[in-house]
Amino acid sequence: MFRLFRKREEVIVSPLTGNVRSLENVPDPVFAQKMMGDGFAIEPTDGVVVSPIHGEVVQVFPTKHAVGLRSDEGLEILIHVGIDTVHMHGEGFEAYVKAGDRVKAGDLLLSFDLALVQQKAKSLLTPVVITNGEVVNECHREHIEQAERGSTVLMKVKLK
């Protein structure tokens, strides 16, 4: 009898175009100290956010500055555009998805006014965090400085 196995590995592509940074560089202790989970940050060079995985949209924050996703394999990812952007109350942000939508890696999630966020937020650095690290067995980060949204592979995650 043959048993079918799921792939149990996720490939995470960059959700933004920009410079890849360590979470420790994010000027917010919740992200920098990995209280929400491990991941990376992107310093965006444009205002377009795409899905880094195939899966489902779990949540789009009412202020449209963040989106939560769950991959087909169960990995949960939070993309949080900038730091202290919640205080912008959605100004300059647009959401193209809603909770329950199915997405593929590279599908458009959000857009934002880069200049406005740079002016009004504490930082443009955008954390991309795995929020359910308990399902992760092994995580490999690619050592890349520049990323293109939807195509540059930044992490490979083996799940338990």
Side-chain angles (χ1 to χ4, degrees):
M1 175 195 241
F2 292 98
R3 187 171 159 200
L4 296 176
F5 290 95
R6 297 176 82 179
K7 66 179 179 174
R8 304 306 297 162
E9 179 177 86
E10 288 292 345
V11 173
I12 300 173
V13 298
S14 183
L16 297 116
T17 296
N19 303 309
V20 182
R21 303 284 185 246
S22 168
L23 274 182
E24 289 85 0
N25 292 339
V26 176
D28 181 310
V30 171
F31 293 111
Q33 295 173 20
K34 302 180 182 178
M35 292 180 204
M36 291 195 67
D38 202 356
F40 53 87
I42 305 278
E43 184 177 1
T45 55
D46 69 18
V48 178
V49 181
V50 301
S51 180
I53 53 164
H54 293 353
E56 179 181 357
V57 177
V58 176
Q59 179 180 20
V60 177
F61 286 66
T63 51
K64 304 174 197 157
H65 74 288
V67 62
L69 306 166
R70 182 181 308 112
S71 78
D72 291 337
E73 292 295 328
L75 190 67
E76 295 177 358
I77 297 175
L78 172 70
I79 304 167
H80 189 285
V81 178
I83 300 302
D84 289 346
T85 45
V86 69
H87 302 301
M88 293 175 67
H89 305 287
E91 180 187 7
F93 288 88
E94 189 64 48
Y96 301 93
V97 293
K98 63 186 179 318
D101 286 353
R102 299 278 312 153
V103 292
K104 297 183 309 272
D107 285 354
L108 181 62
L109 300 175
L110 307 170
S111 65
F112 60 96
D113 182 328
L114 187 73
L116 187 65
V117 173
Q118 190 166 24
Q119 174 191 349
K120 293 194 170 199
K122 183 175 183 179
S123 173
L124 272 174
L125 277 177
T126 297
V128 180
V129 178
I130 296 170
T131 57
N132 66 337
E134 69 277 2
V135 305
V136 175
N137 189 38
E138 187 180 314
C139 188
H140 172 72
R141 277 184 213 86
E142 301 294 334
H143 297 287
I144 294 172
E145 292 182 21
Q146 298 277 351
E148 290 293 324
R149 73 176 169 272
S151 62
T152 305
V153 174
L154 293 180
M155 291 179 87
K156 292 180 182 173
V157 179
K158 290 187 180 174
L159 303 174
K160 294 179 181 174

